[in-house]
Amino acid sequence: MAQFPITDKTEITRLPKRGVYDKDAVYAILDEALFCTLAYTRDNQAFQIPTGFCRIGDKLYLHGSVGSFYMRELAEKKPPVSISATIMDGLVLARSAFHHSVNYRSVVVFSTPEKVEDENELYTALEVFTNKMQPGRWDDVRKPTAGEWKATKLLSFKIEEASAKVRTGPPKDDDEDYTMDVWAGVVPLEITRHSPQPDPALKPGVSLPSYLK
């Protein structure tokens, strides 16, 4: 079972039993999470950017406009970054306020940005990203024009230093609190796709594609 090396940045020191370094487990969380937060510093000022992403092999990919200041800065200066993604699985309701918690799966990656120059890599990454957001979508839509490709900047981030942290299960109360007349347990959470709402400008006769049913 391949694992990421434990470093001074990735080691889980608070509740270390929740730490996960297995590559397959880390990748599974990244593949399920729809959004991430990219953090870096500029002139001693911290910045964080919430954005969509995808993973291909041992790289994360983020894309944006060539006019985006932060995308240009990351591509040109290649500062160290931290990328985090979290999936909330449940609200953990304990008998005491202090022991309330959440069930979650989270990943933190430490890396440096690289501008993607290869056209095939750019095309593949945007296809994977589109299908991650909505499986089956890429084959159904108009592909980007040459001008749209030129307006798009793609950055890759090698996943070499990463770890996950996971909490599962019921609340952990103090022994004396288990006799209290207070309900305790877990309220499950998940992202749910509801019935699609058509664009008011949708052309008459265009049916709902099978991948959205």
Side-chain angles (χ1 to χ4, degrees), residues 87-190:
I87 301 169
M88 302 294 290
D89 293 319
L91 302 176
V92 181
L93 307 182
R95 292 160 183 82
S96 70
F98 180 80
H99 288 299
H100 278 61
S101 187
V102 292
N103 285 338
Y104 64 91
R105 290 164 287 153
S106 65
V107 168
V108 176
V109 176
F110 296 92
S111 188
T112 54
E114 292 289 341
K115 181 182 177 182
V116 175
E117 304 281 4
D118 181 79
E119 290 185 1
N120 289 330
E121 187 177 4
L122 172 64
Y123 193 90
T124 299
L126 293 183
E127 177 181 356
V128 171
F129 174 82
T130 301
N131 282 332
K132 178 182 181 180
M133 293 295 116
Q134 177 54 63
R137 189 63 176 169
W138 185 258
D139 290 338
D140 199 25
V141 297
R142 175 182 66 77
K143 304 306 182 289
T145 65
E148 289 170 337
W149 283 119
K150 290 180 181 179
T152 303
K153 187 184 295 292
L154 182 70
L155 301 176
S156 70
F157 301 83
K158 189 88 169 183
I159 310 173
E160 295 180 324
E161 204 170 1
S163 63
K165 194 173 183 181
V166 177
R167 189 203 189 279
T168 61
K172 304 292 193 299
D173 274 302
D174 294 335
D175 289 343
E176 59 272 21
D177 288 342
Y178 281 93
T179 60
M180 295 177 61
D181 294 328
V182 177
W183 188 92
V186 176
V187 179
L189 298 175
E190 62 179 6

Side-chain angles (χ1 to χ4, degrees), residues 7-141:
T7 70
D8 58 343
K9 294 197 290 290
T10 64
E11 183 177 11
I12 305 300
T13 56
R14 168 65 179 158
L15 299 175
K17 66 181 180 181
R18 296 183 185 174
V20 177
Y21 306 94
D22 173 64
K23 285 189 176 183
D24 288 341
V26 169
Y27 288 166
I29 296 171
L30 292 172
D31 291 346
E32 184 176 345
L34 295 178
F35 301 97
C36 71
T37 299
L38 180 147
Y40 71 105
T41 60
R42 174 169 59 88
D43 299 330
N44 295 319
Q45 171 63 56
F47 289 88
Q48 61 176 9
I49 311 295
T51 184
F53 74 103
C54 69
R55 179 189 68 88
I56 302 176
D58 62 354
K59 290 182 179 179
L60 294 180
Y61 290 90
L62 279 68
H63 76 282
S65 168
V66 294
S68 167
F69 175 80
Y70 90 90
M71 291 289 287
R72 294 200 313 269
E73 185 171 56
L74 292 177
E76 295 168 3
K77 298 183 179 180
K78 300 181 179 181
V81 303
S82 174
I83 300 173
S84 64
T86 301
I87 301 169
M88 302 294 290
D89 293 319
L91 302 176
V92 181
L93 307 182
R95 292 160 183 82
S96 70
F98 180 80
H99 288 299
H100 278 61
S101 187
V102 292
N103 285 338
Y104 64 91
R105 290 164 287 153
S106 65
V107 168
V108 176
V109 176
F110 296 92
S111 188
T112 54
E114 292 289 341
K115 181 182 177 182
V116 175
E117 304 281 4
D118 181 79
E119 290 185 1
N120 289 330
E121 187 177 4
L122 172 64
Y123 193 90
T124 299
L126 293 183
E127 177 181 356
V128 171
F129 174 82
T130 301
N131 282 332
K132 178 182 181 180
M133 293 295 116
Q134 177 54 63
R137 189 63 176 169
W138 185 258
D139 290 338
D140 199 25
V141 297

Side-chain angles (χ1 to χ4, degrees), residues 137 140 194-198 202 205-213:
R137 189 63 176 169
D140 199 25
H194 296 281
S195 298
Q197 300 177 359
L202 186 67
V206 176
S207 59
L208 188 70
S210 59
Y211 58 80
L212 288 176
K213 295 179 179 177

